[in-house]
Amino acid sequence: MSLHIVVLHGGWSAEREVSLLSGAGVADALESLGHRVTRIDMGRDVAARLAEAKPDLVFNALHGTPGEDGSIQGLMDLMGLRYTHSGMATSVIAVDKQLTKQVLVPHGIPMPGGRIVKSAELFEGDPLARPYVLKPVNEGSSVGVAIVTAEGNYGNPIGRDVAGPWQDFDELLAEPFIRGRELTTAVLGGRAFGVTELRPKSAFYDYDAKYTEGMTEHLYPAPIPDEIARACEDVALEAHRLLGCKGASRADFRWDDERGVDGLFLLEVNTQPGMTPLSLVPEQARHNGIDYPQLVQMIVDEALQ
């Protein structure tokens, strides 16, 4: 069945460039499948442009605010438009790392501890024992993440004039640093797609490591014990269900391999995972015999149900 699908991408978040790449890939795939596609780079006139387009469906290829935080979802709900991926309530919760913990941890999902701190507090002293991680509460793609080490890499206390997320955000989430390995699992249609281990060539899987070809080694299936792989898949599926995710999601983990299954922690659930050539959801799907256009069609089909 051929549909008129708007691909909504771009926008003004810190992840704009990634969203443009995701949207271009999705739009090309939809056209190859015979759908009529209207590409919209989201601006402040997005409601008028959506109303003018009158699509059968909107493929939400936005990343970050306001495409992933419930804002655009609420707008499309008010307009009576069908769209891919998670709805407003799920998006509001999942984009906020602290709210996500409040939903998932009571159900036994293992996540790091930590607390919200005022950035100004960091210049007086450490909120947690070093090493610890500082990150914005509601940004993705490792935007604004800092690892504060015992060696005082940002000063001790953190220097007010040293570059870091405290210069861009009034509040940050402080979490204990979990040594070990970076793992990720995609979920779509009630199915987990296995586990990828990410080994950045730099010391940290940051924005550049995620989106620069050759900066990170992707190992699939991850060279980890079966028990850990099963735990990742189980947690990813349960988190997807508890949060009420729709379409594709991606669960990111840290695993302290000296502690066995007790060392596995869910960091976050991405409700708008990347669809770029280097993105993990298309890669895992491909390993499961699902090519990129098929994956895009599966996301469309779930949105139409």
Side-chain angles (χ1 to χ4, degrees):
M1 179 177 65
S2 178
L3 301 169
H4 176 208
I5 300 177
V6 161
V7 174
L8 196 55
H9 64 164
W12 53 85
S13 81
E15 299 174 72
R16 170 180 169 78
E17 297 305 320
V18 180
S19 175
L20 288 171
L21 286 172
S22 288
V26 167
D28 289 348
L30 288 169
E31 286 174 342
S32 77
L33 293 164
H35 299 295
R36 180 162 71 92
V37 175
T38 299
R39 306 172 192 227
I40 294 180
D41 183 345
M42 188 177 73
R44 305 290 179 179
D45 61 346
V46 63
R49 295 189 68 188
L50 287 170
E52 181 183 359
K54 297 184 178 63
D56 300 311
L57 181 74
V58 177
F59 195 109
N60 184 358
L62 294 164
H63 305 311
T65 304
E68 199 166 354
D69 67 353
S71 300
I72 195 67
Q73 289 82 1
L75 172 68
M76 291 191 288
D77 286 342
L78 284 171
M79 295 180 70
L81 294 171
R82 290 191 287 188
Y83 53 90
T84 63
H85 297 90
S86 296
M88 184 182 73
T90 294
S91 301
V92 167
I93 294 167
V95 79
D96 186 306
K97 297 174 179 69
Q98 194 69 358
L99 281 178
T100 300
K101 290 182 188 185
Q102 291 171 9
V103 171
L104 297 182
V105 171
H107 292 275
I109 301 294
M111 299 186 74
R115 64 185 183 89
I116 303 290
V117 297
K118 299 285 187 186
S119 292
E121 292 178 38
L122 302 169
F123 311 132
E124 308 300 325
D126 291 320
L128 301 173
R130 297 189 181 205
Y132 61 90
V133 180
L134 292 169
K135 59 182 78 169
V137 177
N138 56 3
E139 290 280 355
S141 289
S142 300
V143 171
V145 175
I147 300 173
V148 183
T149 66
E151 291 73 35
N153 55 334
Y154 292 104
N156 198 354
I158 288 172
R160 190 180 295 270
D161 299 325
V162 178
W166 42 85
Q167 294 185 336
D168 300 312
F169 301 94
D170 292 332
E171 289 187 332
L172 294 165
L173 176 61
E175 293 179 341
F177 174 73
I178 299 163
R179 67 159 300 282
R181 297 156 70 173
E182 198 96 25
L183 307 174
T184 193
T185 295
V187 171
L188 175 63
R191 174 183 173 191
F193 282 0
V195 184
T196 300
E197 180 176 0
L198 305 162
R199 291 186 183 172
K201 304 285 175 68
S202 59
F204 170 53
Y205 188 53
D206 59 8
Y207 185 93
D208 289 335
K210 287 182 177 181
Y211 299 115
T212 306
E213 190 161 7
M215 289 277 287
T216 299
E217 187 179 6
H218 294 189
L219 302 176
Y220 183 98
I224 56 176
D226 289 346
E227 175 189 36
I228 303 302
R230 282 196 303 272
C232 286
E233 291 196 319
D234 289 348
V235 168
L237 283 165
E238 184 68 353
H240 184 100
R241 185 187 70 80
L242 288 167
L243 290 169
C245 296
K246 294 180 180 174
S249 73
R250 196 189 74 241
D252 295 337
F253 299 89
R254 287 286 288 183
W255 177 48
D256 183 343
D257 51 8
E258 293 180 355
R259 297 177 55 195
V261 74
D262 291 337
L264 183 69
F265 295 89
L266 174 69
L267 297 181
E268 63 180 319
V269 175
N270 298 274
T271 57
Q272 295 283 130
M275 294 289 285
T276 77
L278 295 180
S279 294
L280 290 152
V281 172
E283 182 178 80
Q284 288 194 349
R286 192 165 61 249
H287 283 296
N288 283 272
I290 301 166
D291 66 21
Y292 189 96
Q294 285 177 295
L295 173 65
V296 170
Q297 185 64 52
M298 287 171 67
I299 294 171
V300 166
D301 289 344
E302 184 166 335
L304 293 172
Q305 287 173 7

